[in-house]
Amino acid sequence: MCGIVGCVTSERNAPYLLVDGLRRLEYRGYDSAGLAVIKDGEIVTLREVGKLNNLESALKASGLGGTIGLGHTRWATHGRPTQVNAHPHRDGSGKIVVVHNGIIENFRELRAELRDQGHVFASETDSEVIAHLIESCYRGDLAQAVLEATRRLEGAYAIGVMHADHPEMLVGARKDGPLVIGLGENENFLASDVTAALEHTSRFVYLDDGQVAELTRDGLRILDASGHEQPYVQTNIAWSLAQAERGGYPHFMLKEIHEQPTVISDTLLGRLDETRGEIVLDDLGIDDEAARAISRIHIIACGTSWHAGHVAKFYIEQLARIPVEVDYASEYRYRDPILDPDGLVVAISQSGETADTIAAMRMARQAGVRVVGVCNVIGSTISREADGSIMTHAGPEIGVASTKAFISQLVALLLLALRLGRARGHLSVDELRRHCLELRQLPQVVENVLKTEGRVLEVARRFAGAQDFLFIGRGMNYPIALEGALKLKEISYIHAEGYPSGEMKHGPIALIDERMPVVAICTRSPVYEKVITSVEEARVRDAKMIVIGNEGDEKITEIADETIFVPHVAEILSPIVNVVPLQLLAYFVARERGCDVDQPRNLAKSVTVE
Ligand code: AGP
């Protein structure tokens, strides 16, 4: 999730406005930053790895000024976080610069095509291709060139573009990536979100998918996809800066829960190829032959990532028929595991910096076992050291309690299972296509699940005073019960236990009385009736039953004190759907109790010590 800022102003302080704007986007996380201005008819760029302070120091040292510019903070997806890969990117003539947020799915094809035409590329990024594409479409009208170029782009983008021959003009365009225009007094802005320009204006225009904006310091033209000028609507934003950083949500955690439909789309982007019946995982480093040779898989992770690993065990064993063991990384590294050179270790880590997971991964690699990292942070230790990787594209997660990163891990691990299943002949092309179709519908399904928010809030208000909670689920939803319990204890400090429902009568049932709320995941699956039986067992012992069921399931209404209904989906997608109301439940309970939701006591976002 990169950050974009552009400004065209009457003062010569544009680069400083850009750095200020980028600082407002720091909450999104980044690994490098850069800016470009037009000086004496030429583009000048500054790009630095690491903190924004590095860019600011470089700017001060350069004495650079200017009335127009583009700035960018990069969250690497394609290509490591290096100076060369940092934005802005130039075209071949050096006259055009582009900043980009998103992922260009067909960048390889475009790069090959442009190379054949003589274009030379400097970076490993997908973004650089946009600058060269605009160059090849440019015939004197920048907005028109951007329009033409964007017609060739597949994937998601929000871009800002500047041309040395148009020293008073910025052009912006978007598709499935956020971009707003800020209208100031004798100055205008382009930004990933309103925070970047809120200090200078409260008047914003939200760009729609497919539109192109042409900004000067006192004018704005919006063109539709066919190049026709369109009227636009100004929105007055009365947020404080702190509110704006959270997109108007009271907490990052709630914002991140609501980002999950987009995160699913981003994690799927460019990876489903129905035409060829393939799952495309470019950096996996395992071809079909190697996939067929895998004797077994060891998943190592901690916390929420470990729960994702448990769901993955179901995915991989069902779809690829490879035996899977799941370990806490902290246990694996000390228990002298049997390391099979024909096996595969999958290290799951949002941050890619968890000390135990890194140590376990290194141990496996030293023993000659291939390791695949499933990470959210490109350039992190695990993503760098693993033999192959699957990046999860959840964007920076600020809330300490992991939500959107977990969902993106589940999607990435399902893609891995489908990829292995196809390579090993357990899935036909038609079966794979059916899974792809269902996955493509998933963002909309999760969008619908988020509509349960009001209902979940009612339930949370009723039970916010409870001292203990029990979460039960079965099959691939039993790890989701564990995750529901972990979320609740992390942020509300209520004691919560997660169990496979079949285990309830082997112990935890002793805890049940009328003060114990029990959350049961009871959506349709081959073990549905088994979970219903556990619900009955808890109910007759006076537990207060909160049941997550499928819309239209009358039986659930009869046996539950409180119901939360979610859409029915294929069983393999049910963990991704069912975890959402549990995240919301934890969030609302914690909020009702006045807890510090985003920074719960004693917890760190990334546990870099043993
Ligand atoms: C999740 O809500 C937690 N904060 C925690 O369990 C986390 O998942 C764990 O520390 C692992 O982190 P990682 O995914 O960055 O390795």
Side-chain angles (χ1 to χ4, degrees), residues 328-361:
Y328 287 117
S330 53
E331 286 297 314
Y332 180 86
R333 58 186 291 199
Y334 291 117
R335 76 170 172 79
D336 193 14
I338 298 163
L339 296 160
D340 176 356
D342 294 327
L344 173 72
V345 163
V346 177
I348 310 171
S349 174
Q350 182 284 129
S351 61
E353 299 296 351
T354 299
D356 283 318
T357 315
I358 293 172
M361 172 189 79

Side-chain angles (χ1 to χ4, degrees), residues 396-556:
E397 192 176 60
I398 312 285
V400 166
S402 185
T403 52
K404 63 174 184 170
F406 177 65
I407 277 221
S408 69
Q409 288 168 344
L410 296 184
V411 172
L413 291 160
L414 179 52
L415 292 176
L416 174 66
L418 291 169
R419 166 84 180 74
L420 295 175
R422 181 73 201 105
R424 293 165 73 97
H426 292 290
L427 283 173
S428 67
V429 170
D430 282 347
E431 282 166 327
L432 190 96
R433 285 192 183 128
R434 184 173 48 78
H435 289 300
C436 290
L437 189 71
E438 287 165 353
L439 273 166
R440 285 200 189 276
Q441 290 161 353
L442 192 59
Q444 187 53 53
V445 174
V446 171
E447 197 72 66
N448 293 338
V449 179
L450 288 167
K451 293 183 187 143
T452 60
E453 193 176 78
R455 177 78 199 105
V456 180
L457 175 59
E458 285 169 9
V459 176
R461 287 199 167 128
R462 179 171 169 191
F463 294 102
Q467 290 198 340
D468 308 275
F469 262 81
L470 186 61
F471 288 73
I472 54 171
R474 201 149 176 182
M476 54 181 78
N477 278 292
Y478 119 69
I480 299 304
L482 306 190
E483 174 61 9
L486 179 68
K487 282 292 87 89
L488 187 72
K489 61 188 143 192
E490 277 189 300
I491 59 168
S492 74
Y493 318 140
I494 295 176
H495 166 244
E497 303 261 5
Y499 267 92
S501 61
E503 272 296 296
M504 200 177 70
K505 57 179 159 313
H506 297 287
I509 201 164
L511 297 169
I512 292 179
D513 62 19
E514 70 288 352
R515 288 164 301 172
M516 173 74 94
V518 177
V519 181
I521 305 167
C522 202
T523 48
R524 295 269 177 211
S525 78
V527 285
Y528 169 79
E529 292 296 344
K530 310 275 178 209
V531 185
I532 292 277
T533 304
S534 303
V535 171
E536 295 283 11
E537 286 166 1
R539 198 165 72 104
V540 296
R541 286 163 181 87
D542 297 327
K544 296 287 173 288
M545 294 307 309
I546 303 164
V547 181
I548 317 280
N550 284 136
E551 287 158 357
D553 187 345
E554 299 292 329
K555 199 189 251 178
I556 299 286

Side-chain angles (χ1 to χ4, degrees), residues 93-114:
S93 71
K95 286 191 161 193
I96 298 173
V97 268
V98 171
V99 288
H100 166 227
N101 171 26
I103 297 169
I104 304 303
E105 279 185 61
N106 59 336
F107 85 99
R108 284 186 190 80
E109 293 90 313
L110 290 171
R111 193 165 55 188
E113 183 186 316
L114 289 159

Side-chain angles (χ1 to χ4, degrees), residues 576-591:
I576 301 171
V577 165
N578 293 339
V579 76
V580 177
L582 301 187
Q583 296 167 338
L584 287 168
L585 182 67
Y587 170 75
F588 285 123
V589 167
R591 204 172 83 176

Side-chain angles (χ1 to χ4, degrees), residues 214-236:
E214 188 187 85
L215 286 86
T216 55
R217 103 182 116 85
D218 48 11
L220 169 65
R221 272 191 345 127
I222 305 252
L223 308 176
D224 68 10
S226 11
H228 297 121
E229 194 167 340
Q230 291 203 310
Y232 54 84
V233 183
Q234 279 185 38
T235 309
N236 211 47

